[in-house]
Amino acid sequence: MKIENSDVVIIGSGVAGLICALTLSKKFKIILLTKKKLKDSNSYLAQGGISVCRGKEDREEYIEDTLIAGYYENDKIAVEILVDESEEAVKTLIENGVKFTGDKKGLFYTREGGHRKFRVLYCEDQTGKYIMESLIEKILERDNIQIIEDCEFLDIIERENICLGVLAKKEEIFAIKSRFTVLATGGLGGIYKNTTNFSHIKGDGVAVAIRHNIELKDISYIQIHPTTLYTKENKRKFLISESVRGEGAILLNQKLERFTDELKPRDKVTKAILDEMKKDNSEYEWLDFSTIKLDVKERFPNIYKNLIENNIDPLKDKVPVVPAQHYTMGGIKVDMNSKTSMKNLYAIGEVACTGVHGKNRLASNSLLESVVFGKRAAYSIIDENNISVYNNIKDDIFENIADKIILTDEKENKNIIEKRIKEDEFEKNR
């Protein structure tokens, strides 16, 4: 079996994984694996934007908005880190070529559900796409980063609770021997029938963590997005950003009556829609764009284009919407430097549970979390590099490793994840 060598291996190419790779010193040899192509991550699909603290006077309100959305089950220290490092995170993105929407007077801010003020930066209505394209451009300029696309992550290689590398497959199975391993594999959306996520993102990192007894946290906390485009086809649901409601769109039932405050946190809006659907005996409710004062085509060009392609003109028609699985608040438990319970193994992005979100995520905090804690993982790796115990561990585990491989499939991964979700739900409801 072929064995590659690296200082750091990163599994996943969303914002968290790319930021981590770019933050690491160029002296590190980095291998970045991704299941499909570089852009095929849920980060790319993010529409709304990225939250940022609007100065010292906004700090306590932003923290409180995040805690309220999370039902105060958040880790407050993690929330404070997120808020306090948000301006620096945005600066990092701008330095890496991201151009947020604005004019000569400055950047534009919008408001989304659960935020008491306008503190969300955006790039039209495809913020994730523009961030990802800028970061990918920078990644491709780096000689120290080896990218392996269309590569399946199979397992980590560990001994005595120390991560030594990973097993992967691109045509053939191979191993990567690495001083540090970073899981940035995304959430669990692909195991659900109705989801806004890419179907190939199926909790690979969480499944590996379960098999190796790595600590998880709040894995049953799954967020449902209130407004995705209703279609009869069984395919990935097109998300209609919360910022549409932030700019004034309203929800109507089948009698065309408004039935909720559209800017409540996501879980409350979702519940209101589901309750109304039950009353109406309907598979969807309506989102009305006519109350938006801005130019819909200019503010939401991608959403407008997608709706037109589905024979819906939001300037004239009501838009049918239905809630769908969107985000995993829980995941692999990490500390404030993104370290897992296994030595030399990190987790960042949606696969990780930093404690920032609690029971329910505040809108537009996910991209911010990916940047803040992706950077923190990189800084920790730089600090740990000089004191890593890796070289003190005999790596004879790599000898004849092909004989030790126990292959699992996606169905088995789904089963063990669903089992752990049920166990977590049981514990929380005791």
Side-chain angles (χ1 to χ4, degrees), residues 259-369:
F259 59 89
T260 190
D261 174 0
E262 292 81 7
L263 290 179
K264 288 180 179 178
R266 286 177 176 172
D267 61 322
K268 288 182 168 60
V269 178
T270 292
K271 185 178 185 303
I273 294 173
L274 293 173
D275 288 347
E276 207 68 17
M277 285 167 57
K278 190 173 181 181
K279 290 179 192 174
D280 290 344
N281 193 26
S282 173
E283 293 184 350
Y284 58 87
E285 296 297 351
W286 300 108
L287 186 63
D288 184 1
F289 282 58
S290 69
T291 48
I292 297 177
K293 295 179 181 179
L294 301 176
D295 184 330
V296 170
K297 290 183 185 179
E298 183 180 337
R299 175 65 180 86
F300 302 108
N302 182 57
I303 293 173
Y304 179 81
K305 175 176 175 287
N306 191 284
L307 292 175
I308 290 294
E309 289 172 353
N310 280 274
N311 299 312
I312 300 168
D313 184 348
L315 302 182
K316 301 175 182 177
D317 307 323
K318 306 291 187 291
V319 179
V321 292
V322 64
Q325 189 280 339
H326 180 57
Y327 191 83
T328 311
M329 276 77 68
I332 300 173
K333 183 179 179 181
V334 296
D335 67 10
M336 297 304 100
N337 293 311
S338 301
K339 294 181 180 181
T340 72
S341 61
M342 179 175 284
K343 180 72 176 175
N344 294 344
L345 178 68
Y346 292 76
I348 54 177
E350 194 174 346
V351 71
C353 182
T354 60
V356 158
H357 307 302
K359 194 174 182 179
N360 177 61
R361 176 170 69 81
L362 182 66
S364 288
N365 267 355
S366 57
L367 287 176
L368 178 59
E369 180 194 33

Side-chain angles (χ1 to χ4, degrees), residues 46-51 112 120-123 127 241 364-368:
Q47 293 179 359
I50 180 169
S51 306
E112 298 191 0
V120 180
L121 291 169
Y122 57 92
C123 306
T127 305
S241 171
S364 288
N365 267 355
S366 57
L367 287 176
L368 178 59

Side-chain angles (χ1 to χ4, degrees), residues 14-17 19-20 43 50 82 327 348-350 357 365-376:
V15 166
I19 282 290
C20 181
S43 294
I50 180 169
L82 183 84
Y327 191 83
I348 54 177
E350 194 174 346
H357 307 302
N365 267 355
S366 57
L367 287 176
L368 178 59
E369 180 194 33
S370 290
V371 178
V372 168
F373 287 91
K375 289 178 67 175
R376 281 181 156 257

Side-chain angles (χ1 to χ4, degrees), residues 191-204:
I191 72 172
Y192 292 88
K193 180 180 178 181
N194 292 319
T195 180
T196 63
N197 295 187
F198 278 121
S199 60
H200 65 274
I201 299 176
K202 300 184 177 185
D204 299 344

Side-chain angles (χ1 to χ4, degrees), residues 53-64:
C53 184
R54 301 292 302 274
K56 292 179 181 178
E57 65 280 2
D58 183 38
R59 182 180 186 270
E60 294 307 318
E61 289 187 342
Y62 185 8
I63 289 171
E64 186 66 11

